[in-house]
Amino acid sequence: MAPVSGSRVLVVEGEAALPVVKALASETRQMILSLLTHNVMNVSELAEIMSQPHSTISFNLNQLQAAGLVTFEFEPGTRGSQKLCAKAYDEVHIRLPGAAVESEADQVVVVTMPIGSYRYLEASPTCGIASETKIIGMLDDPRSFFEPEHVYAQILWFREGYVEYAFPNNLPYGAIARSLELSMEICSEAPQYDPNWPSDITLWINDREVGTWTSPGDLGGTSGLLTPAWWHTDQTTYGMLKRWRVTTEGAMIDGVELSDTTVDSLALTSANHVKVKLGIKPDARHRGGLNLFGRKFGNYPQDIVMRIHYEFPHDAPKVTIR
């Protein structure tokens, strides 16, 4: 079946498809997606139409959000802020095991970065870091991020600050980058967890601000697909898989326009590494921190993945370094 013109398509494969399939295996959640097809609605409206308690609707919305199928926005209301819900995609394409991640015709560099392999980090409590087997150092002690064991991290979190990575720049000599993509599992950071805890999370690449995404909350209460058995479910257990993309026309997150920062402005050919920084601005409206998940924690079996799509000018020879 050919995609509908202009439709938003989510493509998942392998183990990353499991949370999406699980989220769709519910008539209630399918009905919510149907109601959100043409309208942005709040929880009360959905509860009234479906004749369901607010708690039931909220629970199912959180499941859809964790799978990346709905998005939340907060806007002022008569009694505080209200949460508006929208459908993130019109179609879901699932690649069966064995399908190629990238077409052979594509020219793409893929680098996977473990979340514990950061170059520098600044953090303010609540904060902490853990491997798949234990807490590293002490909770709410920023010094713990510099323990030698930090390289084994599978989850890290902080209320304020930033984390910075240095990705190897494997762009071939003479190539021109057409787009840079970063995908990661991430959410806000609240004491224990709170699905209604917005946080403005900003991404910088090579010191150029790409844009800010508002995470709707800190997700927990139930075990994620990869949550270790020793980790308590009254804490953060999973996040949302977010895909940042910078092209020749601008930047976006999950296909939604983010800023006018272009891939050309990132100056990818001027350094031997690509600096990637995630953090909370001191003057952010929602300073709700962040949780970052590795491939053995949360819902998605991946670390931070960077993809650079490139091409060679027609008049430039390809250079191979041996």
Side-chain angles (χ1 to χ4, degrees):
M1 181 179 68
V4 178
S5 177
S7 63
R8 299 161 297 176
V9 180
L10 172 64
V11 180
V12 290
E13 58 188 304
E15 294 181 67
L18 295 178
V20 176
V21 174
K22 182 179 178 181
L24 292 173
S26 162
E27 291 185 5
T28 299
R29 291 193 280 274
Q30 290 183 27
M31 177 60 71
I32 290 173
L33 290 173
S34 178
L35 291 170
L36 295 177
T37 297
H38 300 295
N39 299 289
V40 174
M41 305 176 72
N42 61 37
V43 176
S44 297
E45 291 170 331
L46 289 167
E48 181 178 357
I49 293 173
M50 297 178 64
S51 299
Q52 297 274 3
H54 279 64
S55 58
T56 299
I57 299 300
S58 293
F59 172 80
N60 284 284
L61 281 169
N62 289 336
Q63 297 298 306
L64 290 168
Q65 178 201 46
L69 297 175
V70 300
T71 60
F72 297 154
E73 289 188 7
F74 294 84
E75 70 172 23
T78 55
R79 297 182 178 178
S81 62
Q82 65 170 334
K83 181 165 66 176
L84 299 179
C85 314
K87 189 163 70 171
Y89 298 98
D90 302 302
E91 301 181 27
V92 176
H93 293 184
I94 298 175
R95 291 176 176 167
L96 297 177
V101 175
E102 302 288 348
S103 167
E104 292 183 359
D106 288 345
Q107 297 185 104
V108 58
V109 172
V110 181
V111 179
T112 296
M113 179 68 69
I115 66 164
S117 296
Y118 45 81
R119 180 166 70 173
Y120 192 71
L121 186 148
E122 286 191 2
S124 297
T126 52
C127 63
I129 183 171
S131 69
E132 62 179 307
T133 59
K134 65 176 183 177
I135 298 290
I136 296 173
M138 301 292 291
L139 291 175
D140 293 333
D141 186 346
R143 296 175 298 179
S144 298
F145 290 99
F146 297 94
E147 293 286 348
E149 294 175 282
H150 76 78
V151 296
Y152 301 114
Q154 293 298 324
I155 182 173
L156 62 84
W157 64 96
F158 50 81
R159 177 65 61 82
E160 295 181 353
Y162 66 88
V163 58
E164 182 179 294
Y165 297 88
F167 281 74
N169 188 349
N170 293 334
L171 189 67
Y173 290 101
I176 297 175
R178 307 310 299 167
S179 69
L180 184 150
E181 300 174 6
L182 281 167
S183 67
M184 67 200 71
E185 184 173 356
I186 194 168
C187 70
S188 310
E189 162 52 22
Q192 293 187 303
Y193 76 96
D194 187 340
N196 300 313
W197 188 271
S199 182
D200 296 336
I201 301 173
T202 301
L203 170 69
W204 295 264
I205 298 177
N206 286 347
D207 296 322
R208 181 69 184 243
E209 183 173 329
V210 172
T212 299
W213 165 68
T214 301
S215 168
D218 183 357
L219 307 179
T222 59
S223 181
L225 293 177
L226 304 168
T227 306
W230 63 273
W231 188 267
H232 297 294
T233 56
D234 63 352
Q235 304 294 322
T236 306
T237 53
Y238 60 92
M240 291 159 278
L241 187 65
K242 307 305 295 183
R243 297 177 176 87
W244 312 69
R245 189 164 185 257
V246 187
T247 70
T248 56
E249 298 179 351
M252 60 195 73
I253 184 164
D254 292 340
V256 178
E257 185 177 349
L258 197 61
S259 73
D260 58 2
T261 298
T262 65
V263 68
D264 298 326
S265 70
L266 302 182
L268 295 177
T269 60
S270 63
N272 57 13
H273 68 279
V274 180
K275 184 190 297 185
V276 173
K277 178 179 172 182
L278 285 160
I280 312 300
K281 290 182 175 180
D283 60 350
R285 178 183 177 188
H286 301 109
R287 299 193 313 185
L290 67 82
N291 275 272
L292 191 58
F293 301 81
R295 61 187 177 87
K296 296 181 179 180
F297 216 109
N299 268 342
Y300 299 91
Q302 69 162 68
D303 294 300
I304 305 173
V305 180
M306 181 180 73
R307 289 180 171 87
I308 301 178
H309 293 261
Y310 64 89
E311 65 183 16
F312 287 95
H314 295 297
D315 57 349
K318 297 183 180 181
V319 179
T320 302
I321 305 299
R322 300 184 182 275

